[in-house]
Protein backbone atom coordinates (compact mmCIF):
# COMPACT_ATOMS: atom_id res chain seq x y z
CA UNK A 1 0.00 0.00 0.00
CA UNK A 2 1.23 3.47 -0.84
CA UNK A 3 2.35 5.26 2.33
CA UNK A 4 0.84 8.59 1.16
CA UNK A 5 -2.61 7.09 0.69
CA UNK A 6 -5.16 7.64 3.44
CA UNK A 7 -7.65 4.85 4.19
CA UNK A 8 -10.39 7.46 4.70
CA UNK A 9 -9.63 10.25 2.21
CA UNK A 10 -12.07 13.03 1.56
CA UNK A 11 -13.71 12.45 -1.82
CA UNK A 12 -12.57 15.75 -3.32
CA UNK A 13 -9.24 17.57 -3.28
CA UNK A 14 -8.28 20.89 -4.87
CA UNK A 15 -5.01 20.86 -6.78
CA UNK A 16 -3.14 23.97 -7.86
CA UNK A 17 -0.66 24.29 -10.71
CA UNK A 18 1.09 27.67 -10.67
CA UNK A 19 3.18 29.15 -13.46
CA UNK A 20 4.65 32.62 -14.04
CA UNK A 21 3.97 34.58 -17.21
CA UNK A 22 4.43 38.31 -17.71
CA UNK A 23 4.83 38.76 -13.91
CA UNK A 24 1.22 37.63 -13.34
CA UNK A 25 0.32 34.44 -11.52
CA UNK A 26 -1.74 32.01 -13.53
CA UNK A 27 -3.57 29.17 -11.86
CA UNK A 28 -5.14 26.02 -13.14
CA UNK A 29 -7.38 24.69 -10.41
CA UNK A 30 -8.81 21.25 -10.85
CA UNK A 31 -11.22 19.21 -8.78
CA UNK A 32 -9.66 15.81 -8.13
CA UNK A 33 -11.33 12.60 -6.97
CA UNK A 34 -9.91 9.32 -5.74
CA UNK A 35 -9.76 6.90 -8.61
CA UNK A 36 -8.05 3.53 -8.73
CA UNK A 37 -4.53 3.68 -7.34
CA UNK A 38 -4.34 7.49 -7.43
CA UNK A 39 -6.16 10.69 -8.26
CA UNK A 40 -7.91 11.44 -11.52
CA UNK A 41 -8.85 14.93 -12.71
CA UNK A 42 -12.55 15.62 -13.09
CA UNK A 43 -12.58 19.20 -14.34
CA UNK A 44 -10.85 22.56 -14.22
CA UNK A 45 -12.99 24.99 -12.21
CA UNK A 46 -11.10 28.27 -12.52
CA UNK A 47 -8.27 29.57 -14.66
CA UNK A 48 -6.81 33.06 -14.68
CA UNK A 49 -9.83 34.66 -13.04
CA UNK A 50 -9.59 37.12 -10.16
CA UNK A 51 -10.05 35.40 -6.80
CA UNK A 52 -9.78 35.69 -3.05
CA UNK A 53 -7.68 33.17 -1.13
CA UNK A 54 -8.18 32.82 2.63
CA UNK A 55 -5.01 33.59 4.61
CA UNK A 56 -6.19 33.81 8.22
CA UNK A 57 -9.32 33.02 10.19
CA UNK A 58 -12.15 30.57 9.62
CA UNK A 59 -11.58 30.53 5.84
CA UNK A 60 -7.82 29.88 5.68
CA UNK A 61 -6.98 28.07 2.46
CA UNK A 62 -10.41 28.57 0.88
CA UNK A 63 -10.54 29.88 -2.68
CA UNK A 64 -13.32 32.17 -3.93
CA UNK A 65 -13.25 32.89 -7.69
CA UNK A 66 -14.77 36.29 -8.54
CA UNK A 67 -16.94 35.21 -11.44
CA UNK A 68 -19.75 37.78 -11.35
CA UNK A 69 -19.69 41.46 -12.23
CA UNK A 70 -20.71 42.27 -8.64
CA UNK A 71 -19.67 39.97 -5.80
CA UNK A 72 -21.19 40.61 -2.39
CA UNK A 73 -19.45 39.49 0.81
CA UNK A 74 -21.03 38.96 4.22
CA UNK A 75 -22.60 36.55 6.72
CA UNK A 76 -26.06 36.51 5.11
CA UNK A 77 -26.86 33.59 2.79
CA UNK A 78 -27.94 36.01 0.04
CA UNK A 79 -24.29 37.07 -0.52
CA UNK A 80 -22.17 35.70 -3.36
CA UNK A 81 -19.43 34.90 -0.81
CA UNK A 82 -21.01 33.77 2.46
CA UNK A 83 -18.70 34.07 5.49
CA UNK A 84 -21.12 32.94 8.21
CA UNK A 85 -18.43 31.53 10.54
CA UNK A 86 -16.89 34.92 11.40
CA UNK A 87 -19.21 36.89 13.73
CA UNK A 88 -17.16 40.07 13.21
CA UNK A 89 -18.37 40.24 9.60
CA UNK A 90 -21.62 42.09 8.92
CA UNK A 91 -24.57 40.43 7.21
CA UNK A 92 -23.85 42.56 4.15
CA UNK A 93 -20.26 43.67 4.55
CA UNK A 94 -18.64 44.63 1.22
CA UNK A 95 -18.91 44.38 -2.55
CA UNK A 96 -16.32 43.76 -5.24
CA UNK A 97 -17.18 45.07 -8.71
CA UNK A 98 -15.39 43.85 -11.82
CA UNK A 99 -15.27 46.74 -14.28
CA UNK A 100 -12.97 47.59 -17.19
CA UNK A 101 -10.50 44.87 -16.18
CA UNK A 102 -10.25 46.12 -12.58
CA UNK A 103 -11.64 44.72 -9.33
CA UNK A 104 -13.03 47.53 -7.21
CA UNK A 105 -13.86 46.90 -3.54
CA UNK A 106 -16.13 49.01 -1.36
CA UNK A 107 -17.45 48.67 2.16
CA UNK A 108 -21.25 48.81 2.22
CA UNK A 109 -21.79 50.10 5.75
CA UNK A 110 -20.28 47.23 7.74
CA UNK A 111 -19.94 47.66 11.50
CA UNK A 112 -16.25 46.71 11.73
CA UNK A 113 -15.04 48.00 8.38
CA UNK A 114 -13.17 46.55 5.43
CA UNK A 115 -9.37 46.81 5.38
CA UNK A 116 -6.96 46.60 2.44
CA UNK A 117 -3.26 46.18 3.29
CA UNK A 118 -4.01 47.18 6.90
CA UNK A 119 -5.87 50.43 6.14
CA UNK A 120 -9.61 50.85 6.54
CA UNK A 121 -11.21 51.80 3.23
CA UNK A 122 -13.58 54.77 3.25
CA UNK A 123 -14.42 54.78 -0.47
CA UNK A 124 -14.17 52.45 -3.45
CA UNK A 125 -10.64 51.16 -4.03
CA UNK A 126 -9.07 49.35 -7.01
CA UNK A 127 -7.51 46.08 -5.88
CA UNK A 128 -4.05 45.04 -7.09
CA UNK A 129 -2.69 41.49 -7.21
CA UNK A 130 -1.29 40.59 -3.82
CA UNK A 131 -3.45 43.02 -1.82
CA UNK A 132 -4.54 41.68 1.57
CA UNK A 133 -8.20 42.24 2.43
CA UNK A 134 -9.65 41.87 5.91
CA UNK A 135 -13.34 41.40 6.68
CA UNK A 136 -13.87 40.94 10.45
CA UNK A 137 -11.25 38.49 11.74
CA UNK A 138 -10.72 36.90 8.31
CA UNK A 139 -7.95 37.87 5.89
CA UNK A 140 -7.78 37.16 2.16
CA UNK A 141 -5.23 37.76 -0.57
CA UNK A 142 -6.54 39.12 -3.87
CA UNK A 143 -5.08 37.48 -6.97
CA UNK A 144 -5.73 38.43 -10.57
Amino acid sequence: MNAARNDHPSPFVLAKNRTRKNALSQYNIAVMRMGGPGYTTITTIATNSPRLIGLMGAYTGKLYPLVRVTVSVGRDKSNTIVLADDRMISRRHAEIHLQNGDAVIKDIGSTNGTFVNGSRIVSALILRAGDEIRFGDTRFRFEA
Side-chain angles (χ1 to χ4, degrees):
M1 180 175 199
N2 185 341
R5 187 172 172 153
N6 185 342
D7 288 338
H8 302 287
S10 65
F12 296 97
V13 176
L14 281 179
K16 178 170 72 171
N17 176 14
R18 182 175 178 185
T19 60
R20 285 291 219 183
K21 183 177 180 182
N22 298 331
L24 294 176
S25 297
Q26 295 184 350
Y27 286 81
N28 295 316
I29 298 162
V31 175
M32 310 284 273
R33 185 173 68 175
M34 285 296 288
Y39 293 101
T40 55
T41 300
I42 294 174
T43 185
T44 298
I45 58 171
T47 302
N48 300 332
S49 64
R51 66 206 143 273
L52 298 180
I53 298 176
L55 298 177
M56 182 181 84
Y59 301 94
T60 301
K62 302 276 184 174
L63 180 132
Y64 296 93
L66 306 177
V67 294
R68 295 186 178 178
V69 172
T70 299
V71 174
S72 59
V73 179
R75 284 191 346 258
D76 191 80
K77 291 180 182 180
S78 66
N79 290 292
T80 312
I81 298 176
V82 179
L83 304 175
D85 293 337
D86 184 342
R87 301 303 296 173
M88 299 300 289
I89 295 175
S90 295
R91 285 192 234 18
R92 295 204 22 86
H93 197 99
E95 290 180 340
I96 300 172
H97 300 275
L98 303 178
Q99 54 192 38
N100 302 323
D102 290 324
V104 179
I105 190 169
K106 70 176 183 174
D107 187 274
I108 53 174
S110 70
T111 301
N112 295 313
T114 301
F115 294 78
V116 175
N117 298 325
S119 298
R120 187 174 188 152
I121 61 172
V122 294
S123 61
L125 178 75
I126 296 174
L127 292 170
R128 301 287 176 227
D131 281 349
E132 287 192 10
I133 304 163
R134 182 168 59 86
F135 310 108
D137 290 330
T138 304
R139 262 191 341 191
F140 292 92
R141 180 177 60 242
F142 173 73
E143 295 189 349

